[in-house]
Amino acid sequence: MLIYILRRVLYSIPLLLIATFGVFLMVSETFDASAYLAQNRSPETRAAFIEKNNLDEPVVNRYGDWLVDAVQGNFGETYRSSEPVMDEVRPAFWNTIQIVGWGILISAFVAVSIGVYSAVRQYSISDYLLTGLAFVGIALPPFWFGLIAYHFATELAGWVNGGEPVLYGLGLHSAGKDGLNLDYARHLVLPVMTLTVQIIASWSRFQRSSMLDVLSSDYIRTARAKGVSRPKVILKHGLRNGLIPLVTIIALDVGALFGGLVVTEVVFSIPGMGRLFVDALNNGEANIVLAWLLIAAFGIILFNLLADIAYSILDPRIRLS
Amino acid sequence: MRSERALYLRLFALICALALVLAACGGDDDDDDTAGGTDDTTADEDVPAGGELVVGAEQEPDCTAWIKSCGGSSWGYWMMGVTTMPRAFDTIPDGDGWAVVANTDLLTGEPEVDDTNPDKPVHTYSINPDAVWSDSTPITCDDFAFTWDAIVNGEDIYDPTGYTEIETVDCPDANTVVVTFARPYSGWKALFGSGFGVHPKHILEGQDIAEAMGNGYDWSGGPWIIESWNKGVEVILVPNDAFWGTKPKLERVIFKVQADTAAEFQAFQNREVSMIYPQPQLDVVDQIEGGLEGAQSSFSDSTGNLEAVWMNNAAPPLDDVDVRKAIAYAIDRDAIVAQLFGALGVDAPMQTLNPPILSEFADTEAWSDYVLDLDMVDELMTGAGWAKNGSDIWEKDGETASFTLKSTAGNARRELTGQILQEQLANAGFELTLDYQEAGALFGEQLPQGDFQLAVYAQVLTAITVGQCNLMCTKNIPTAENEFSGQNWTRTSVAEMDPLLEELETTLDETRQAELGKQIDQMQAEAQVSLPLDPLPNILIWSDDVLGPVSDNPVLGPFHNLNLLGVAS
Amino acid sequence: MSIQPVSETVLELGTEGEHLLVEGAEPRAYTQRQLFRRRFFRHRMAMISLFALAFMAFVCYGANLVAPYGRGEQDLLNATQPPSSEHWMGTDRLGRDYLTEILYAGRLTLTIGFLVALISTTMGALMGAVAGYRGGWIDQVISRITDLFLIVPALLIAATLLSGVRRNGQFLWWDVGDRLVFFTVDIAFAMILVIAFLSWQYIVRLVRAQVLALKEREFVEAARAAGASHTRIIRRHILPNCIGVITVNATLTIAIAIVTEATLTFLGFGLQPPNFSWGYLIYDARGTVGSDNAYLLYFPGLMLFITVLSVNFIGDGLRDAFDPHGKKERW
């Protein structure tokens, strides 16, 4: 198992090199980080900025410098404020993890529940209803849904709470507050909903379909014939096998999560990785974009690995070679 | 605990809100222009003590080391600079315009100007003996000298213009600052003030200012002190106990950082913030027009902003003054301004290339002849050898009068302006293509390198400095020789105007400054170097919970008098 | 053309979903194609969606015939009016009829969706087929490239590439001497290329897997034994059997492409005037949340939603039609 993991990681390294170089090239060539100083009355300011950040050196040199530093764990400094990149990335990452973490947990739980329920009650009215909702959910553009949800939350506040907000759409905590409390929860509802509505919809469809497969298989019938109670059969035997395809899907969908993440953070002003990326791109901060890319790629690789491992645990017939 | 007074305040606020709604429903939105009028520097006894104010912040500075290039952020300065840094001058309303006067917290009065030697004026500042830093060390002349030194000798300074004209800063005693200039500099009142302020020598000496101040600092020379700056999330200010002037009533002010104007407005509607200072985007204008419940708005069109249709005077066919004039006569600026800002009561376009805060030094009617006049367009174009072709577009020597208009991407108001211009110019026989560019590329490369024909963007002045030579003098045209660092992007070159612009840079006599300003404006209008459009009003919106003399200041921002504000409990 | 002897009129569904033989029924023969069509037509939602999508395409591409007003007719005095009998969807900020604008904007949205699906499916299917069939180093190379694109978040690459296009409307690759421009593109075209460029990796994987499975089947061996060339085998035996996977995936790609374009535009990296799409209209209206002008936000979003929903149902119907052994969905 360990060898497998090691092999996968090593194999990803050349890919990462190519990807980072390509992105560095693109960002450096298409964004001028010093442009914001162009309207400054003193042209020396812009020249000094370029000099300080080595922006006039050839791209290949700059990439080389970055690579040498990165391997030692130093991801460089931002151009504008000369802050270590990791100082910018760490808090953003933590904020994003909160949304993503809650998102995946809630999505998985809800999707599995809906999927199992739908499969067990196939062709019932609730099944049709849920499937219909799932189709609707998949078709909803997340950013539009987020805006509409925020709109309704605002209107709701007007009717229900006399103007005081019910759900918040600005950041993760109210002004000056902190910690895991009701205020936090009220801030989380809208962004997490926006992020997960599409995911829950598609995962639940998937889960339903795989549960149906499992429930009609022979060994389930055998178990029932042997007298094992229905709930036990479903939960103990059915679910275990039914989860396998979902696990693979979760891993593959992590990449898709990034898209929804960026939009959610922009709409709800959450200072996370998504917004960091958009701001960095617009300001030409190549170092932040590269750090971002590495983290994203790392996350995807990690999730794929976890999926494979989980797969092998859930299905003892699979052996990782 | 509801006190009686709070109840009355609530009732009062409710009546105001009701009045506002009724007014809005009634038709024209009549918002107060607080540009002139109320003396906003007296404490209001009806403002209760205590409480917390939450303000929406549309932008966040890259750092708070004000003199460094990363600290050149207007929002940053308004939030944390104005509130914590002592400054020598204030900009206050004066009749219809603005005047720059000495800040009476830091100085005891107007500085003395000694121009016995007119080539080397000497200004003497007298520091208020009560002025102290938050650690109770007095603010002295040493701090002025230190600030000047840090700016002219430091690295990576945001804009040392003006400070480099100073020859020496002498300290005959702790409270007297004698500044001798090497050359007369007409913008001397902006020094030791807006944008930079005075820095404490005893705290910063020997340190790397970018490091020591960059991420917020725990000292102050103003009414507030920075308690914390959680990047991307919020800035928290608390009262500075050592402040010798009018102490704040609020317990805390929190600036919540938002993604953009749209998010800001949503947060305000949802009561998550009580005050916002949004860009004059159309959504904002629409919302104000529709009436704000439980909130008030004030806009000011007397700002340091000027949006114009800038023309590249060196790009054919725009190098022909008649073509430039024809374009000016083809555009109905009144309609544009009415469409974009009519709801705020801004109905007249700008008629000078000086922003409103410089109206004393400008001819505010210089462009008033340029109204929609299609006959003039025909006259000018045919006179210049153009004729309309089969598609009704002007053509000469096989080339059609087709222009590209560039502007910043992602700005709904500019996109709308572009579309209106496109239609208006099409009616007059010009073909306009719209090209929206990312701000960095536009300002960083294309405009300096002359890679444009027409462009819509704004000039923003952060202090009342009258000189426009950097923008209009022939010598400042960006070329390959000066590595395109000149700022005269419009490539304006009017020979008679250059000496006047130079003189304006160095005259200290304000009457002469006004004279020169007017002449220059008239010359620019005659040569139609560019077409002024609108003043980009500043809009301030606050909920009725916020009490006190809320007001905006074109140079110091809307938070300049936070120490006088309070919130209803 | 093989004949399947089993038809629907012979069987009916029992109480637990199993098939029961109807007494006295006569079996009738159907061709593959006819069976496919019958299965598709039975999928009610897919049929409805097909009509809806066709209608949508018709009114958008034929907007100059259908739209109540001319394109881009500004009427500054009537700006931002809510829906009324004269303007069914109200007017926008320049007084243009919103319905008209939405119809014209639909052209770009639908075109981007279709073209992206077309390009990425064609490319992906070809690469997947070659990789699966040939194996060896070609397979290795293609698989590694595919992995590269799976590792990197597509949105990041798309945003960066598109920003390069926004600037000067060109792709800037290298500064050689004085700005050697690689090629000049229009931003809508660039979006199509970029999104297609980032969508093909899923199809490659699917087709490759399918081809790998088919390669071992008897009819392929038989064909090879009979002396058929590789090209002929791919063309006549393998690809036709992949059609199912390819088509279903193509329809889903349409939906994803449409939403991706809207998302990129929403973040500011996509289309700008004078190019409108539904995504752009939503982006433009994002500040209307909480105000009376929120209808500017609803309508384009609704159009997007209906289009994507229809495409998804059609994809579902196709999937059912191609795979009779799958579970029966009653829609």
Side-chain angles (χ1 to χ4, degrees):
Chain A
M1 167 95 75
L2 219 61
I3 302 179
Y4 175 77
I5 296 178
L6 207 63
R7 239 169 24 107
R8 282 283 288 271
V9 169
L10 282 176
Y11 155 83
S12 310
I13 291 182
L15 293 179
L16 281 177
L17 276 176
I18 299 175
T20 48
F21 180 66
V23 171
F24 190 82
L25 188 69
M26 276 194 293
V27 176
S28 302
E29 288 300 302
T30 60
F31 291 94
D32 185 357
S34 73
Y36 79 106
L37 289 172
Q39 272 188 307
N40 194 314
R41 280 189 304 167
S42 164
E44 288 91 44
T45 310
R46 190 176 179 193
F49 180 85
I50 292 178
E51 162 101 30
K52 179 178 74 156
N53 292 308
N54 295 326
L55 292 178
D56 45 3
E57 281 187 39
V59 181
V60 188
N61 291 18
R62 286 168 58 206
Y63 178 71
D65 290 336
W66 177 84
L67 193 61
V68 167
D69 284 336
V71 176
Q72 297 169 43
N74 172 14
F75 291 98
E77 295 180 340
T78 58
Y79 295 146
R80 289 197 191 185
S81 49
S82 298
E83 287 288 309
V85 164
M86 285 323 273
D87 283 355
E88 303 270 329
V89 169
R90 220 175 286 122
F93 185 70
W94 171 237
N95 285 325
T96 296
I97 282 293
Q98 290 177 64
I99 306 266
V100 169
W102 288 114
I104 293 186
L105 274 173
I106 295 176
S107 300
F109 183 71
V110 174
V112 168
S113 314
I114 294 181
V116 169
Y117 182 78
S118 264
V120 165
R121 298 229 175 283
Q122 196 185 17
Y123 301 137
S124 68
I125 297 200
S126 20
D127 179 28
Y128 284 136
L129 208 63
L130 286 171
T131 311
L133 282 176
F135 265 98
V136 166
I138 295 177
L140 274 176
F143 61 94
W144 186 63
F145 175 71
L147 289 172
I148 303 280
Y150 200 172
H151 180 73
F152 273 114
T154 313
E155 302 282 297
L156 194 71
W159 302 324
V160 168
N161 210 9
E164 290 304 310
V166 175
L167 295 174
Y168 295 101
L170 182 60
L172 288 175
H173 299 275
S174 289
K177 294 215 182 100
D178 213 351
L180 220 64
N181 49 24
L182 186 63
D183 177 67
Y184 179 57
R186 283 159 77 182
H187 275 96
L188 276 181
V189 172
L190 286 174
V192 170
M193 237 170 45
T194 306
L195 189 63
T196 58
V197 72
Q198 228 180 22
I199 297 175
I200 292 180
S202 75
W203 286 358
S204 67
R205 291 275 299 156
F206 207 80
Q207 182 63 11
R208 175 182 183 277
S209 144
S210 76
M211 277 304 284
L212 282 175
D213 268 340
V214 162
L215 285 179
S216 61
S217 64
D218 291 332
Y219 78 97
I220 293 285
R221 288 177 201 263
T222 319
R224 287 286 281 139
K226 280 205 215 165
V228 182
S229 72
R230 197 147 187 262
K232 196 156 178 221
V233 161
I234 295 174
L235 290 177
K236 186 154 178 241
H237 299 283
L239 198 58
R240 194 185 155 119
N241 285 287
L243 275 179
I244 297 172
L246 186 66
V247 163
T248 11
I249 287 291
I250 291 182
L252 292 178
D253 264 350
V254 166
L257 211 62
F258 285 111
L261 197 67
V262 176
V263 161
T264 308
E265 288 182 9
V266 166
V267 170
F268 296 108
S269 295
I270 294 170
M273 296 290 286
R275 255 185 65 200
L276 185 70
F277 166 65
V278 174
D279 289 340
L281 207 55
N282 278 322
N283 292 337
E285 295 272 4
N287 286 337
I288 296 185
V289 176
L290 279 181
W292 200 97
L293 171 62
L294 280 179
I295 293 177
F298 180 70
I300 293 179
I301 295 173
L302 183 70
F303 267 92
N304 277 312
L305 263 177
L306 284 177
D308 282 346
I309 294 174
Y311 207 89
S312 80
I313 293 178
L314 283 172
D315 186 349
R317 292 173 295 169
I318 309 278
R319 276 277 162 266
L320 298 173
S321 58
Chain B
M1 201 166 72
R2 311 241 145 155
S3 71
E4 210 179 46
R5 192 161 74 180
L7 197 64
Y8 283 160
L9 284 170
R10 270 234 160 90
L11 211 59
F12 181 65
L14 189 65
I15 294 175
C16 283
L18 212 61
L20 196 75
V21 170
L22 287 175
C25 290
D28 277 75
D29 209 46
D30 229 329
D31 278 317
D32 283 339
D33 178 352
T34 59
T38 42
D39 177 4
D40 59 355
T41 51
T42 35
D44 185 353
E45 274 90 43
D46 288 332
V47 175
E52 188 178 271
L53 175 65
V54 182
V55 182
E58 207 172 77
Q59 289 170 35
E60 202 185 26
D62 291 313
C63 77
T64 50
W66 309 117
I67 62 177
K68 301 292 179 182
S69 66
C70 61
S73 155
S74 303
W75 263 95
Y77 183 64
W78 296 334
M79 284 195 288
M80 296 185 267
V82 169
T83 45
T84 65
M85 301 295 287
R87 59 184 177 274
F89 282 95
D90 276 337
T91 309
I92 59 165
D94 175 29
D96 275 335
W98 298 86
V100 184
V101 298
N103 175 303
T104 47
D105 283 327
L106 182 64
L107 303 178
T108 56
E110 293 292 330
E112 282 168 26
V113 181
D114 176 11
D115 54 1
T116 44
N117 178 357
D119 291 326
K120 288 199 177 205
V122 177
H123 303 273
T124 308
Y125 299 77
S126 183
I127 304 177
N128 185 344
D130 292 333
V132 291
W133 297 103
S134 49
D135 59 0
S136 301
T137 319
I139 303 180
T140 66
C141 170
D142 285 339
D143 298 317
F144 275 75
F146 171 75
T147 306
W148 169 65
D149 182 65
I151 292 172
V152 296
N153 293 328
E155 276 178 11
D156 194 26
I157 303 297
Y158 180 62
D159 183 7
T161 311
Y163 293 90
T164 45
E165 309 295 336
I166 297 177
E167 195 172 77
T168 61
V169 176
D170 298 307
C171 297
D173 62 64
N175 291 336
T176 312
V177 189
V178 178
V179 180
T180 312
F181 280 79
R183 278 168 294 281
Y185 176 60
S186 58
W188 65 275
K189 287 192 179 179
L191 304 178
F192 302 110
S194 49
F196 289 168
V198 177
H199 289 58
K201 173 176 178 176
H202 66 289
I203 298 179
L204 293 175
E205 183 163 41
Q207 307 217 12
D208 178 358
I209 293 186
E211 290 234 2
M213 280 179 75
N215 289 327
Y217 41 94
D218 57 4
W219 46 264
S220 163
W224 301 90
I225 197 167
I226 301 172
E227 183 186 88
S228 67
W229 177 24
N230 188 348
K231 284 201 189 181
V233 182
E234 58 192 10
V235 175
I236 303 185
L237 299 179
V238 291
N240 173 12
D241 293 323
F243 186 60
W244 64 98
T246 315
K247 294 222 203 309
K249 306 210 175 220
L250 290 162
E251 270 167 23
R252 273 204 311 189
V253 175
I254 303 177
F255 294 94
K256 287 226 71 155
V257 180
Q258 272 127 130
D260 59 16
T261 312
E264 190 175 30
F265 223 95
Q266 287 159 14
F268 184 76
Q269 296 279 67
N270 204 24
R271 303 280 196 91
E272 295 179 56
V273 296
S274 305
M275 187 191 281
I276 55 175
Y277 192 50
Q279 301 263 339
Q281 285 297 334
L282 296 155
D283 297 321
V284 174
V285 174
D286 283 343
Q287 307 255 26
I288 293 179
E289 189 175 24
L292 300 165
E293 243 177 68
Q296 304 173 54
S297 67
S298 93
F299 84 95
S300 170
D301 61 356
S302 183
T303 66
N305 311 322
L306 172 75
E307 198 171 53
V309 181
W310 303 93
M311 302 186 177
N312 186 346
N313 285 242
L318 290 170
D319 52 352
D320 182 352
V321 62
D322 286 332
V323 174
R324 294 200 299 270
K325 285 189 173 177
I327 293 179
Y329 281 111
I331 297 178
D332 185 357
R333 293 180 294 149
D334 293 290
I336 295 179
V337 169
Q339 176 60 24
L340 297 179
F341 305 117
L344 301 176
V346 179
D347 49 12
M350 287 294 289
Q351 306 289 13
T352 158
L353 280 181
N354 283 302
I357 57 172
L358 292 183
S359 49
E360 307 251 308
F361 307 99
D363 179 353
T364 50
E365 291 301 314
W367 263 262
S368 50
D369 284 340
Y370 292 104
V371 290
L372 179 64
D373 188 343
L374 292 176
D375 292 328
M376 274 301 277
V377 176
D378 288 339
E379 198 182 301
L380 286 162
M381 289 302 277
T382 43
W386 296 76
K388 283 207 177 172
N389 65 9
S391 330
D392 230 12
I393 310 277
W394 294 105
E395 197 174 316
K396 176 181 176 184
D397 298 335
E399 296 268 320
T400 52
S402 308
F403 303 102
T404 307
L405 179 82
K406 291 198 178 179
S407 190
T408 51
N411 185 324
R413 196 193 64 249
R414 293 217 168 118
E415 283 161 10
L416 223 55
T417 308
Q419 285 164 44
I420 300 178
L421 285 170
Q422 203 176 31
E423 174 127 336
Q424 288 182 349
L425 286 173
N427 289 340
F430 297 99
E431 207 175 12
L432 193 68
T433 319
L434 300 175
D435 183 10
Y436 296 97
Q437 297 288 329
E438 178 221 335
L442 188 66
F443 295 120
E445 246 183 50
Q446 292 163 24
L447 294 176
Q449 293 181 8
D451 181 14
F452 76 102
Q453 289 175 305
L454 301 171
V456 173
Y457 60 92
Q459 289 282 349
V460 177
L461 262 195
T462 47
I464 298 189
T465 46
V466 293
Q468 270 197 333
C469 183
N470 60 328
L471 298 179
M472 293 288 164
C473 278
T474 311
K475 69 180 185 189
N476 285 323
I477 293 181
T479 61
E481 276 85 51
N482 59 28
E483 287 174 2
F484 298 108
S485 63
Q487 298 225 303
N488 183 349
W489 294 340
T490 53
R491 274 94 181 141
T492 299
S493 182
V494 180
E496 306 83 50
M497 211 166 60
D498 281 334
L500 296 180
L501 286 165
E502 304 263 1
E503 198 188 327
L504 188 54
E505 289 289 293
T506 54
T507 307
L508 300 184
D509 174 5
E510 296 196 355
T511 326
R512 182 71 186 139
Q513 286 175 353
E515 254 175 43
L516 288 168
K518 286 184 175 37
Q519 283 183 306
I520 291 172
D521 253 338
Q522 280 156 8
M523 284 186 179
Q524 290 178 342
E526 257 307 297
Q528 184 29 41
V529 299
S530 287
L531 191 62
L533 204 53
D534 58 69
L536 271 199
N538 291 332
I539 303 178
L540 184 61
I541 304 179
W542 66 99
S543 82
D544 293 325
D545 287 344
V546 183
L547 306 168
V550 179
S551 74
D552 184 19
N553 186 298
V555 171
L556 300 175
F559 313 121
H560 65 109
N561 62 353
L562 279 180
N563 54 334
L564 303 176
L565 302 183
V567 286
S569 51
Chain C
M1 215 170 73
S2 58
I3 296 180
Q4 300 229 10
V6 178
S7 83
E8 308 306 326
T9 51
V10 179
L11 305 173
E12 65 181 14
L13 280 181
T15 46
E16 282 184 50
E18 78 276 18
H19 290 128
L20 301 173
L21 204 58
V22 170
E23 292 216 13
E26 283 289 332
R28 222 168 64 187
Y30 287 94
T31 64
Q32 274 273 39
R33 274 223 184 115
Q34 286 171 317
L35 272 170
F36 169 83
R37 243 183 303 211
R38 279 187 69 94
R39 283 196 293 264
F40 187 80
F41 292 160
R42 295 195 122 240
H43 197 291
R44 282 199 297 269
M45 285 313 291
M47 285 308 298
I48 296 177
S49 302
L50 196 61
F51 283 124
L53 197 62
F55 179 69
M56 190 80 82
F58 173 66
V59 291
C60 288
Y61 287 113
N64 47 341
L65 306 167
V66 171
Y69 290 78
R71 183 179 192 176
E73 266 178 27
Q74 294 177 13
D75 181 6
L76 296 182
L77 298 170
N78 264 330
T80 44
Q81 299 295 318
S84 63
S85 50
E86 286 135 10
H87 296 278
W88 290 1
M89 289 190 180
T91 59
D92 70 358
R93 290 206 179 83
L94 286 180
R96 295 178 289 213
D97 178 48
Y98 211 38
L99 176 59
T100 310
E101 292 306 306
I102 285 184
L103 288 180
Y104 279 103
R107 286 186 182 178
L108 208 49
T109 304
L110 291 175
T111 309
I112 292 181
F114 292 143
L115 282 182
V116 166
L118 187 66
I119 295 175
S120 73
T121 307
T122 317
M123 262 175 65
L126 274 174
M127 288 181 71
V130 168
Y133 191 75
R134 291 304 219 119
W137 65 271
I138 291 190
D139 184 18
Q140 289 295 312
V141 167
I142 292 183
S143 293
R144 294 300 90 87
I145 297 180
T146 314
D147 283 343
L148 179 68
F149 279 93
L150 285 171
I151 278 186
V152 169
L155 205 67
L156 163 66
I157 306 296
T160 317
L161 282 173
L162 285 171
S163 299
V165 175
R166 241 187 359 201
R167 177 186 176 180
N168 292 334
Q170 300 152 342
F171 270 114
L172 283 174
W173 284 104
W174 251 270
D175 292 352
V176 178
D178 37 285
R179 303 222 160 235
L180 180 71
V181 169
F182 210 65
F183 54 89
T184 307
V185 293
D186 169 75
I187 182 139
F189 186 49
M191 284 198 87
I192 294 175
L193 285 181
V194 167
I195 301 177
F197 187 51
L198 297 164
S199 309
W200 52 265
Q201 56 267 47
Y202 303 102
I203 300 201
V204 169
R205 268 207 173 179
L206 279 170
V207 171
R208 177 177 174 277
Q210 186 87 339
V211 168
L212 280 176
L214 284 172
K215 218 168 55 163
E216 312 304 323
R217 297 269 283 273
E218 304 85 27
F219 63 89
V220 171
E221 286 202 30
R224 215 176 301 145
S229 72
H230 290 305
T231 331
R232 190 180 165 82
I233 293 179
I234 294 184
R235 220 160 34 87
R236 294 215 79 217
H237 297 279
I238 297 203
L239 275 181
N241 280 296
C242 294
I243 290 284
V245 170
I246 293 178
T247 318
V248 172
N249 218 282
T251 38
L252 293 181
T253 309
I254 297 179
I256 294 175
I258 289 179
V259 175
T260 307
E261 179 269 315
T263 309
L264 282 169
T265 306
F266 183 77
L267 292 175
F269 293 113
L271 298 168
Q272 270 134 43
N275 295 309
F276 291 98
S277 69
W278 291 332
Y280 179 78
L281 292 176
I282 296 180
Y283 165 72
D284 203 28
R286 72 193 186 288
T288 59
V289 168
S291 78
D292 292 330
N293 295 335
Y295 68 90
L296 289 172
L297 188 64
Y298 288 144
F299 288 125
L302 212 57
M303 302 295 273
L304 265 182
F305 172 63
I306 293 175
T307 307
V308 173
L309 195 63
S310 309
V311 168
N312 282 341
F313 275 130
I314 294 176
D316 206 51
L318 284 173
R319 189 189 291 123
D320 273 358
F322 278 119
D323 183 12
H325 306 294
K327 291 155 289 303
K328 210 172 219 65
E329 299 283 345
R330 278 311 184 84
W331 275 98

